[in-house]
Amino acid sequence: MKISMINYKSLWALLFILASWITFTLFQNSTKIWSALNLSISLHHWNNSIKSLFLKAPLIPLKPLTETELRIKEIIEKLDQQIPPRPFTHMNTTTSATHSTATILNPRDTYCRGDQLDILLEMRDHLGHRKQYGGDFLRARMSSPALMAGASGKVTDFNNGTYLVSFTLFWEGQVSLSLLLIHPSEGVSALWSARNQGYDRVIFIGQFVNGTSQVHSECGLVLNTNAELCQYLDNRDQEAFYCVRPRHMPCAALTHMHSENKKVSYLSKQEKSLFERSNVGVEIMEKFNTISVSKCNKETVAKKEKCKVGMTSTIPSGHVWRNTWNPVSCSLATVKMKECLRGKLIYLMGDSTIRQWMEYFKASINTLKSVDLHESGKLQHQLAVDLDRNINIQWQKHCYPLVGSMTYSVKEMEYLTRAIDRTGGEKNTVIVISLGQHFRPFPIDVFIRRALNVHKAIKRLLLRSPDTMVIIKTENIREMYNDAERFSDFHGYIQYLIIKDIFQDLSVSIIDAWDITIAYGTNDVHPPQHVVGNQINILLNYIC
């Protein structure tokens, strides 16, 4: 009995060793599964396509989700609840701006400055039927072009086809009201589903150089290929980028990059019709007359405290008057830029919308001299100094994904978390970060992971240097009719909400470029100089 038991155990041991060897061999040779799953960085646990791949690969043990991955999962689940599927069988059953009705509640001939004007919006489809659910992507704005004045409105969705749109009447004069149906709820649902299905709407072309040899190769956040891959992995933050490895070239030979739009869409033909130019940004209040606003002999408005870091944001966060931004909760002073920045070290980190700040500083401070860092291209690191006043201003681009047809160097490219980590920080150090525009064409988990990693890096910075000032600049709104599946402002709005949620627990300030650019009505990813200047004036008031 004892001997047979030993033989029984030995047999099972041999079978176990044999099965393990077969599994290991299959795993080693299964480059395709490895490249598709990217288990080492667990980037995409929540995409339906990846879920199915996991189910097909039971031999590969799944790692437990990290704290970051659990947070990503939590945020995506909340967003999925807020953006439920809205399938439609015909265009006629989708929301129609023309058939929807807007009614001013308690209308008056004349309103007083400071009053709130409320509008009840009832959405209908193209057949005139009342919509039974919400989720339409709307943009409310009031303006007085002659006064160079504007402000956003607050939209409350009752999730039953009705909305309350509230405008605060900040100034006197004739005021025009606008309520745009950017996308119907069916379009919003289609964009959300399409966004989270694939990484290949934009592909990257990497340039590898080895001596006199130069080779181009496809790169991306995810590559579905059997080819051998170069993996550029930040192991701590679990962010990675891949290139198909060129023959006879080391992975370290990657020097430059550009991107190209690929003829890939995850929208059906019917869904695409929702994003034709005539169906995007349609005015609902086209027949409304202007509103007359008077002073009404009201008492003088109480003086507001000066804007400072950490103040609570409101909706709307302010208004434009005579082309100047005026926050709701505090007052902005005109600041002498040179004196304000004396002795300051300013780090501008992120995309080209924060590079606009760098260009504005250089144009506005005539004593600021650019330093040649011996890099090339428009996306090169920038450094400008005023030695007499000890002003140091720097800009650097964020790491992948960086979308653009212009070729840029990746030799010195790094994740912003690494740049933040090597910043000593102190009371004269200011960091301004802007993320978003380049993430719009990719599944939302990529953006959430990056935002969470930046959050952790800032938390480490403030722990060792609590006097460091950190500012988050949100995205600008952009061109309305520019390739909705990749770059719609709906994608930007979701990212805007995510940023506000993730950073609310840190001692940082948010410059609400989203609300500011709506108020100015720019619809341009790179707004005019006077808009950039007003964004920077908020920063100067925080510093000085």
Side-chain angles (χ1 to χ4, degrees):
M1 186 66 146
K2 187 175 182 181
I3 295 174
S4 62
M5 180 67 73
I6 292 172
N7 290 338
Y8 180 78
K9 287 182 177 179
S10 299
L11 177 61
W12 275 110
L14 285 170
L15 287 172
F16 178 79
I17 291 169
L18 180 61
S20 299
W21 179 83
I22 293 170
T23 301
F24 177 75
T25 303
L26 287 171
F27 178 72
Q28 276 196 319
N29 293 329
S30 187
T31 308
K32 184 175 181 179
I33 294 176
W34 176 256
S35 62
L37 292 177
N38 293 308
L39 289 177
S40 65
I41 59 170
S42 304
L43 269 174
H44 320 299
H45 283 287
W46 307 283
N47 292 340
N48 291 333
S49 59
I50 300 302
K51 283 180 181 176
S52 65
L53 284 172
F54 279 137
L55 293 173
K56 294 173 186 176
L59 297 179
I60 305 174
L62 288 178
K63 293 181 180 179
L65 298 183
T66 65
E67 180 184 345
T68 298
E69 289 163 342
L70 287 170
R71 182 83 170 102
I72 295 171
K73 186 172 184 289
E74 174 193 348
I75 292 172
I76 291 178
E77 286 175 348
K78 286 181 180 178
L79 290 170
D80 283 338
Q81 290 173 5
Q82 294 173 21
I83 316 169
R86 299 294 184 199
F88 63 100
T89 54
H90 196 277
M91 185 78 174
N92 285 343
T93 62
T94 66
T95 309
S96 164
T98 305
H99 291 82
S100 298
T101 59
T103 306
I104 295 179
L105 302 180
N106 304 314
R108 288 180 257 163
D109 292 333
T110 303
Y111 292 84
C112 297
R113 188 183 70 187
D115 285 351
Q116 179 171 301
L117 185 149
D118 291 325
I119 296 172
L120 180 65
L121 181 62
E122 295 181 334
M123 306 305 279
R124 298 179 181 273
D125 64 22
H126 291 264
L127 299 174
H129 300 142
R130 274 282 308 274
K131 295 297 291 290
Q132 301 301 313
Y133 50 82
D136 299 292
F137 185 43
L138 304 167
R139 178 170 297 161
R141 181 174 181 262
M142 56 184 280
S143 63
S144 297
L147 301 172
M148 294 180 287
S152 67
K154 181 180 179 181
V155 179
T156 304
D157 186 350
F158 295 118
N159 297 310
N160 61 1
T162 63
Y163 301 79
L164 180 66
V165 183
S166 302
F167 292 100
T168 301
L169 304 177
F170 290 109
W171 62 85
E172 304 163 44
Q174 296 299 308
V175 177
S176 298
L177 303 179
S178 170
L179 188 55
L180 298 180
L181 175 63
I182 308 292
H183 301 307
S185 52
E186 295 79 11
V188 165
S189 172
L191 285 177
W192 179 244
S193 174
R195 176 173 186 172
N196 293 306
Q197 286 185 56
Y199 297 78
D200 51 355
R201 277 171 289 254
V202 174
I203 61 169
F204 296 86
I205 307 299
Q207 178 181 305
F208 290 76
V209 176
N210 189 6
T212 57
S213 300
Q214 187 180 113
V215 180
H216 292 85
S217 183
E218 184 174 343
C219 303
L221 295 164
V222 171
L223 292 176
N224 186 18
T225 175
N226 289 321
E228 184 181 0
L229 299 179
C230 292
Q231 181 191 57
Y232 304 96
L233 170 68
D234 185 315
N235 196 52
R236 182 195 65 190
D237 291 340
Q238 295 295 284
E239 297 202 63
F241 193 76
Y242 301 89
C243 290
V244 174
R245 182 172 182 172
R247 292 183 63 186
H248 313 303
M249 282 274 189
C251 292
L254 178 64
T255 62
H256 291 80
M257 189 78 62
H258 73 273
S259 73
E260 297 175 358
N261 290 343
K262 199 171 179 181
K263 291 183 179 179
V264 170
S265 175
Y266 294 92
L267 296 172
S268 68
K269 184 178 180 180
Q270 185 172 248
E271 288 170 341
K272 287 178 183 178
S273 66
L274 296 175
F275 307 106
E276 294 173 359
R277 190 183 182 96
S278 59
N279 296 325
V280 175
V282 184
E283 182 60 68
I284 296 173
M285 301 182 65
E286 193 169 15
K287 298 178 181 178
F288 271 67
N289 296 322
T290 58
I291 303 297
S292 180
V293 182
S294 302
K295 187 176 181 181
C296 298
N297 296 318
K298 284 196 170 185
E299 295 181 7
T300 305
V301 179
K303 189 175 181 180
K304 293 182 284 189
E305 64 175 312
K306 185 180 177 300
C307 293
K308 58 186 179 183
V309 171
M311 300 190 86
T312 304
S313 180
T314 59
I315 302 175
S317 59
H319 71 280
V320 177
W321 167 257
R322 301 292 185 193
N323 252 351
T324 301
W325 178 250
N326 298 270
V328 167
S329 55
C330 59
S331 64
L332 293 172
T334 303
V335 177
K336 292 182 179 179
M337 193 178 293
K338 284 184 184 180
E339 293 309 311
C340 177
L341 298 181
R342 182 184 289 274
K344 296 295 189 291
L345 176 58
I346 312 292
Y347 289 106
L348 305 175
M349 302 179 178
D351 56 33
S352 57
T353 67
I354 202 73
R355 189 187 69 224
Q356 275 191 289
W357 285 30
M358 184 73 187
E359 292 162 355
Y360 189 92
F361 280 127
K362 290 194 292 186
S364 302
I365 305 175
N366 57 7
T367 54
L368 208 57
K369 305 301 180 186
S370 294
V371 177
D372 186 358
L373 299 176
H374 302 285
E375 297 177 17
S376 60
K378 197 169 183 179
L379 299 184
Q380 63 183 287
H381 287 191
Q382 295 187 33
L383 168 64
V385 298
D386 179 336
L387 295 178
D388 293 334
R389 293 174 179 81
N390 193 24
I391 300 172
N392 184 311
I393 306 178
Q394 304 179 30
W395 173 79
Q396 74 173 80
K397 59 184 177 286
H398 64 66
C399 202
Y400 313 113
L402 201 58
V403 177
S405 57
M406 186 183 302
T407 299
Y408 53 89
S409 171
V410 299
K411 297 175 187 177
E412 69 295 324
M413 208 166 180
E414 65 178 341
Y415 288 100
L416 294 189
T417 53
R418 298 296 177 175
I420 295 168
D421 282 341
R422 57 179 172 74
T423 301
E426 41 82 51
K427 65 178 182 179
N428 288 315
T429 300
V430 180
I431 296 177
V432 188
I433 298 167
S434 182
L435 290 171
Q437 297 286 350
H438 295 263
F439 290 80
R440 292 187 183 192
F442 303 101
I444 195 65
D445 63 299
V446 178
F447 179 77
I448 298 172
R449 182 181 295 273
R450 183 66 52 83
L452 289 171
N453 285 335
V454 169
H455 175 279
K456 287 186 284 188
I458 293 173
K459 191 173 182 180
R460 292 190 293 268
L461 170 65
L462 295 178
L463 185 64
R464 65 180 180 269
S465 301
D467 292 334
T468 307
M469 182 180 292
V470 181
I471 309 293
I472 308 294
K473 185 193 85 68
T474 64
E475 294 179 51
N476 303 327
I477 62 170
R478 67 179 300 158
E479 300 78 6
M480 200 174 295
Y481 308 108
N482 183 20
D483 193 351
E485 185 173 0
R486 290 180 179 88
F487 296 111
S488 168
D489 268 344
F490 165 70
H491 298 317
Y493 181 64
I494 294 299
Q495 294 175 173
Y496 166 72
L497 296 178
I498 290 168
I499 285 289
K500 293 178 75 173
D501 177 60
I502 286 176
F503 289 94
Q504 64 181 333
D505 66 329
L506 289 182
S507 181
V508 303
S509 279
I510 291 180
I511 292 181
D512 197 340
W514 185 268
D515 193 50
I516 292 171
T517 48
I518 289 177
Y520 277 100
T522 54
N523 296 319
D524 189 340
V525 67
H526 297 119
Q529 286 290 85
H530 67 272
V531 178
V532 175
N534 275 273
Q535 293 176 354
I536 288 175
N537 191 47
I538 302 172
L539 172 70
L540 297 176
N541 274 259
Y542 287 160
I543 295 173
C544 305

